[in-house]
Amino acid sequence: MSTQDVAGRAVIREARPEDDAIVGELLVEAFLTQYAKKLPEVVYTEQRKRELRDVASRREVATVLVAEVDGVVAGTVALYPPGAPGSEAWLPDAADLRGLATAVRYHGSGLGRPLLDAAEALARRWGMAAVCLHVRRGAAGVAGMYMKRGYVREPSGDMDLPSVYLEAYVLRLQG
């Protein structure tokens, strides 16, 4: 299956309550699989898995988007408005992009592109000046994907948490 096939067939829409379970499992599976391969030292606690699965709470404060391929939820991303609980945006008038993930079978297929396109378009509709996000230190491939889209490293937004160091990136929106 080519990249164009999957990305071109994807339908992006806002997540609904009936999507919560599949989106939660998709996040856990994608994060565990990808980090296990690329960063074997990363361990996801049961608490973190519960947080990833709590899509209903996320939908209360953020816009959660899903990508459907052939009628099946195959990817997700969340966009938090400024000041929303859980937002990690460090700039004023900036949305916070979180939880970009695709089903493992679609990793590398380009399915993240239409999800990011939709999230960035939503931030523009909200009148945001920027989109902020964080990438786990050491996840060079993930950081590279964002940089190819125009995100730039902004160390002032880095987060040194007890269990992880997150590097900050920002996309300045035009018009």
Side-chain angles (χ1 to χ4, degrees), residues 8-173:
R9 290 196 335 260
V11 174
I12 310 301
R13 63 170 175 79
E14 195 164 333
R16 300 183 290 254
E18 59 267 26
D19 299 319
D20 290 354
I22 186 74
V23 170
E25 290 310 311
L26 187 150
L27 284 164
V28 169
E29 179 187 35
F31 279 68
L32 288 178
T33 301
Q34 286 309 100
Y35 283 127
K37 273 196 274 184
K38 297 174 183 169
L39 300 168
E41 71 280 6
V42 175
V43 175
Y44 271 90
T45 64
E46 289 306 311
Q47 171 64 27
R48 180 64 178 136
K49 291 176 193 175
R50 278 192 298 278
E51 291 166 1
L52 288 170
R53 289 181 176 117
D54 189 7
V55 178
S57 292
R58 201 168 307 120
R59 281 189 304 95
E60 290 178 7
V61 296
T63 299
V64 177
L65 301 174
V66 296
E68 283 187 352
V69 176
D70 301 328
V72 176
V73 173
T76 187
V77 68
L79 194 68
Y80 290 72
S87 172
E88 295 173 348
W90 62 94
L91 298 173
D93 296 324
D96 181 29
L97 188 118
R98 308 272 299 277
L100 174 67
T102 61
V104 172
R105 69 181 281 208
Y106 293 111
H107 286 183
S109 71
L111 186 56
R113 189 177 318 108
L115 282 162
L116 288 170
D117 290 346
E120 292 162 4
L122 179 59
R124 285 184 178 90
R125 284 196 304 277
W126 288 351
M128 298 292 97
V131 175
C132 295
L133 61 85
H134 290 91
V135 174
R136 180 183 289 272
R137 178 179 277 166
V142 174
M145 174 193 69
Y146 288 116
M147 289 189 296
K148 285 179 188 167
R149 291 187 66 87
Y151 287 80
V152 295
R153 183 82 173 84
E154 191 159 305
S156 66
D158 286 1
M159 297 175 65
D160 190 2
L161 305 175
S163 61
V164 64
Y165 191 92
L166 299 173
E167 295 178 336
Y169 293 81
V170 63
L171 176 68
R172 306 270 179 202
L173 301 175

